[in-house]
Amino acid sequence: MTTAPPAADRSPGPSEWQSAFDAAVAAEERIEPRDWMPDAYRATLVRQIAQHAHSEIIGMQPEANWITRAPSLRRKAILIAKVQDEAGHGLYLYSAAETLGVSRDELLDKLHAGTQRYSSIFNYPTLTWADVGAIGWLVDGAAITNQVPLCRCSYGPYARAMVRICKEESFHQRQGYELLLALSRGTEAQRAMAQDAVDRWWWPSLMMFGPPDDRSAHSAQSMAWKIKRHSNDELRQRFVDICVPQAASLGLTLPDPDLRWNEERGRHDFGAIDWEEFSQVLKGNGPCNEQRISQRRRAHEEGAWVREAASAHAAKRRARETAPTGRLPGSTTGRPADRTAAPKGAPAS
Amino acid sequence: MTPADTARSTDAATAPRLTGEGAAAALMLGDDALILSHRLAEWTGHAPALEEDVALANISLDLLGQARTLFSFVGDEDELAYLREERAFRNIQLVEQPNGDFAQTIARQLCFSLAQELRWTAILDSADCPTPIRELAAKAVKETAYHRDHATEWTLRLGDGTEESHARMRRGMAVMWRHTGELFAPVPGLPLDDAALREQWLTALRAVLAEATLDLPEGPDADAWAAGGGREGVHTEPFGFLLAEMQHLHRSHPGATW
Ligand SMILES: [Fe+2]
Ligand SMILES: [Fe+2]
């Protein structure tokens, strides 16, 4: 979309802007931050992108759990890199949300206060090393199934963030699969560990696609806005169809006696999901809700003095730069270009 | 990061092998890198800002890569990391010190990365050091420059930030300082001018601390007790717990592949 009405006239949106917006969405054009958009569209995106960003950073916890116990140096390197990627995904997504006029700080406050959600899957514990593999294979796998269509989301910054993220998620999924394969081909104890992990993570992974279509509160409007492209049930079905042959090549079973190929539909039938468990976990009664959110809060609170120091220091540098006799900052150390998200000035937090 | 990046850093079968003093040197530098990498990875998910989760993991990964390459000159990387007893580890005591608060971690990073950068540079310049270690130095010196830069930037922010951060950074330096005494203990197989390196290190450290409005703590020699046993396999109490956590799963499944 290329036409932006004057900023002062953004809201309330006169009907011609609404029609221009509708036409752009219909024509598969991307809505960009400076374009006019309905308030409800903006609010929906903020809610969804924030929830997604929160999921990335809460999702670091169950896996980071195993970094210090990883059983080989190769696996340790892969795991550190993976958890680091998830932090990076959090950064891209908070930035995408910021294009809609909210700050990362505000969003984090809402996460910490429990008024914004993260994916309920991360409220399950990682009890063995095999859980790291099951998360990669199933949880990153489900995330990809959910997120690939988001690469065509009508909101430009979100769609672009998803393109980058999906590439990395597919590495994670393959690494998880490969980890489970090594266990499945390993000793009796390793095999049992892998099967146990898949047994515990399968059903929660199916819940990641959200409530069934007839109970999904936001789906219809999001589909109309082309934020969402496929229904929850359709995505869940795709995921099941992808996983069944992969489980077979892993030599592991999926814990569903009703799972079978349906010739007529050309898809797999599968058993009923325990939506009561899902709603309990969403309400905060999952095995790790309290633990995950309090670790997040603790990291944030214990880091407050560090972030304050960074801002205070940045302010001092700025003051020195503008002062006539100020010393040039950075004059005593040779500094190579910063890599990745290494701090540059005060961390935006 | 692609899977190839994290695969065995040097193909173990074709890696050049070192023996005698060369192997001892590879083990000492490798243990330093392995253990510091482990400590830094403990921050993942607990860092004061998301950028630091990323940055500390980045440094941790660089160090882990260095450790794996160095181990490949000596033997099987997993046997070396997971099956040695505490007394067989040759890392200096500084790198095994618990993370403490962010300032203590930064103090440890500043002391270590300044020293490591000087040492990698000296190794690169010395034809008398083992060739495989010199080849690694070419890559490691660049990585370490970034680690030093990261630690320097944070030392400046914390030292010259708020009253609280200044006090914490001073305390962080004091906590780590007594463990810096063996940073330049001679490493067999690396014929370097360690005394000169130590002087350069002190000069560089003093400059960073001065800009951060901090002083150099009292020298380790001035204390009644200063670290010094790491290279001989004498460690501090927290190290046993680190190894217990790191080695437990691997040792629980003898002979398994992962
Ligand atoms: Fe992610
Ligand atoms: Fe992922």
Side-chain angles (χ1 to χ4, degrees):
Chain A
M1 199 174 175
T2 48
T3 52
D9 295 337
R10 253 188 200 174
S11 64
S15 58
E16 35 314 359
W17 293 338
Q18 177 73 52
S19 347
F21 171 85
D22 291 343
V25 169
E28 297 285 332
E29 285 173 34
R30 293 278 167 271
I31 308 299
E32 295 299 336
R34 302 188 56 184
D35 293 333
W36 182 90
M37 63 187 83
D39 290 343
Y41 176 83
R42 184 184 299 271
T44 295
L45 279 168
V46 168
R47 182 178 50 79
Q48 181 170 337
I49 299 173
Q51 177 167 333
H52 193 162
H54 299 332
S55 302
E56 298 286 354
I57 65 166
I58 295 281
M60 293 166 68
Q61 291 182 33
E63 291 192 279
N65 242 347
W66 280 93
I67 288 175
T68 54
R69 292 176 289 174
S72 75
L73 296 186
R74 173 173 167 268
R75 293 287 176 202
K76 187 174 188 169
I78 291 172
L79 184 56
I80 296 172
K82 186 197 170 182
V83 180
Q84 182 191 36
D85 283 348
E86 306 302 1
H89 298 172
L91 284 170
Y92 309 154
L93 287 162
Y94 286 119
S95 303
E98 284 180 337
T99 64
L100 292 160
V102 288
S103 72
R104 196 206 303 185
D105 271 339
E106 278 171 63
L107 298 178
L108 284 175
D109 286 346
K110 287 182 178 161
L111 169 67
H112 299 150
T115 56
Q116 277 180 348
R117 282 178 174 160
Y118 55 90
S119 176
S120 66
I121 190 80
F122 299 118
N123 292 315
Y124 290 86
T126 45
L127 302 177
T128 73
W129 170 249
D131 290 30
V132 171
I135 290 187
W137 178 45
L138 294 173
V139 176
D140 287 88
I144 295 165
T145 308
N146 256 331
Q147 291 169 13
V148 165
L150 288 174
C151 298
R152 295 187 295 125
C153 165
S154 58
Y155 188 57
Y158 191 30
R160 288 188 289 273
M162 290 322 305
V163 172
R164 269 177 94 172
I165 289 174
C166 281
K167 270 187 210 152
E168 293 179 348
E169 301 297 10
S170 66
F171 280 128
H172 300 168
Q173 197 264 352
R174 267 189 274 161
Q175 288 163 344
Y177 176 90
E178 199 254 323
L179 189 163
L180 288 176
L181 189 64
L183 295 179
S184 163
R185 292 179 176 169
T187 65
E188 196 67 24
Q190 286 177 304
R191 226 193 108 66
M193 195 191 277
Q195 184 61 59
D196 169 61
V198 169
D199 288 349
R200 282 181 290 108
W201 287 92
W202 173 250
W203 290 106
S205 301
L206 294 189
M207 296 175 195
M208 283 176 71
F209 297 91
D213 294 349
D214 51 8
R215 285 203 271 149
S216 177
H218 306 287
S219 281
Q221 181 60 72
S222 287
M223 300 263 267
W225 278 330
K226 296 189 180 167
I227 294 174
K228 203 174 158 73
R229 297 280 178 168
H230 309 282
S231 78
N232 294 352
D233 286 332
E234 166 57 23
L235 291 169
R236 188 164 17 244
Q237 178 73 57
R238 279 188 196 181
F239 178 67
V240 172
D241 291 334
I242 291 168
C243 288
V244 171
Q246 291 181 351
S249 350
L250 280 172
L252 299 171
T253 58
L254 296 172
D256 180 358
D258 298 323
L259 185 64
R260 62 180 56 86
W261 178 249
N262 181 325
E263 195 64 64
E264 220 167 283
R265 291 202 303 130
R267 314 197 87 169
H268 292 86
D269 291 338
F270 54 96
I273 293 170
D274 182 356
W275 291 113
E276 178 51 26
E277 174 180 323
F278 181 69
S279 91
Q280 284 299 327
V281 177
L282 277 190
K283 276 182 207 151
N285 302 325
C288 301
N289 297 60
E290 176 55 33
Q291 183 188 329
R292 300 286 185 245
I293 209 71
S294 48
Q295 177 179 325
R296 185 91 278 294
R297 273 195 215 118
R298 200 179 330 117
H300 192 72
E301 284 160 14
E302 287 176 2
W305 69 270
V306 177
R307 299 189 302 274
E308 280 157 21
S311 321
H313 181 74
K316 286 184 191 180
R317 276 197 187 183
R318 274 194 303 274
R320 273 179 223 141
E321 273 163 39
T322 50
T325 54
R327 209 168 26 139
L328 279 178
S331 54
T332 59
T333 47
R335 295 193 177 99
D338 280 348
R339 293 192 317 192
T340 67
K344 214 172 217 172
S349 53
Chain B
M1 165 144 304
T2 64
D5 289 328
T6 40
R8 221 160 260 267
S9 19
T10 310
D11 186 355
T14 58
R17 282 301 164 109
L18 292 172
T19 52
E21 286 195 335
L27 213 51
M28 287 180 182
L29 302 188
D31 284 349
D32 284 350
L34 177 76
I35 301 305
L36 186 57
S37 161
H38 186 97
R39 282 296 187 213
L40 291 172
E42 290 175 356
W43 273 104
T44 314
H46 301 268
L50 217 37
E51 284 81 354
E52 284 310 299
D53 281 303
V54 174
L56 294 171
N58 214 338
I59 298 170
S60 172
L61 278 172
D62 284 345
L63 291 167
L64 184 51
Q66 293 176 14
R68 296 176 69 196
T69 302
L70 287 160
F71 286 172
S72 75
F73 304 151
V74 181
D76 179 83
E77 61 175 22
D78 288 339
E79 269 179 50
L80 289 167
Y82 293 101
L83 299 177
R84 275 183 296 157
E85 298 291 324
E86 178 171 340
R87 292 286 269 109
F89 277 83
R90 292 288 179 260
N91 55 283
I92 58 171
Q93 294 174 358
L94 175 70
V95 296
E96 74 204 33
Q97 295 313 304
N99 287 335
D101 67 4
F102 190 69
Q104 287 178 37
T105 290
I106 291 301
R108 193 183 56 202
Q109 280 306 103
L110 183 68
C111 295
F112 184 79
S113 61
L114 276 173
Q116 210 199 18
E117 188 184 20
L118 288 168
R119 181 180 277 127
W120 283 129
T121 308
I123 289 172
L124 198 55
D125 293 342
S126 159
D128 298 329
C129 291
T131 307
I133 298 183
R134 294 186 65 205
E135 281 166 3
L136 171 63
K139 177 169 177 255
V141 80
K142 290 179 205 143
E143 294 171 344
T144 311
Y146 161 71
H147 307 168
R148 180 257 301 147
D149 185 52
H150 174 265
T152 301
E153 286 287 346
W154 273 111
T155 303
L156 300 183
R157 289 193 188 106
L158 299 182
D160 190 18
T162 64
E163 215 170 293
E164 179 181 6
S165 70
H166 178 86
R168 284 182 187 254
M169 191 62 216
R170 194 169 56 189
R171 161 108 187 111
M173 279 304 298
V175 167
M176 294 301 167
W177 186 246
R178 64 192 325 220
H179 299 288
T180 59
E182 57 181 340
L183 270 171
F184 293 98
V187 172
L190 300 180
L192 305 172
D193 187 347
D194 295 295
L197 288 177
R198 182 162 194 278
E199 279 314 306
Q200 291 177 45
W201 176 76
L202 275 173
T203 305
L205 189 60
R206 236 184 239 116
V208 175
L209 291 177
E211 193 177 344
T213 70
L214 293 161
D215 297 318
L216 205 62
E218 295 288 298
D221 299 335
D223 287 340
W225 183 88
R231 295 286 187 229
E232 288 81 49
V234 177
H235 295 281
T236 54
E237 286 185 351
F239 190 49
F241 292 92
L242 182 156
L243 288 185
E245 190 171 331
M246 184 173 91
Q247 296 183 335
H248 168 262
L249 177 59
H250 184 96
R251 284 178 179 249
S252 300
H253 297 264
T257 44
W258 300 94

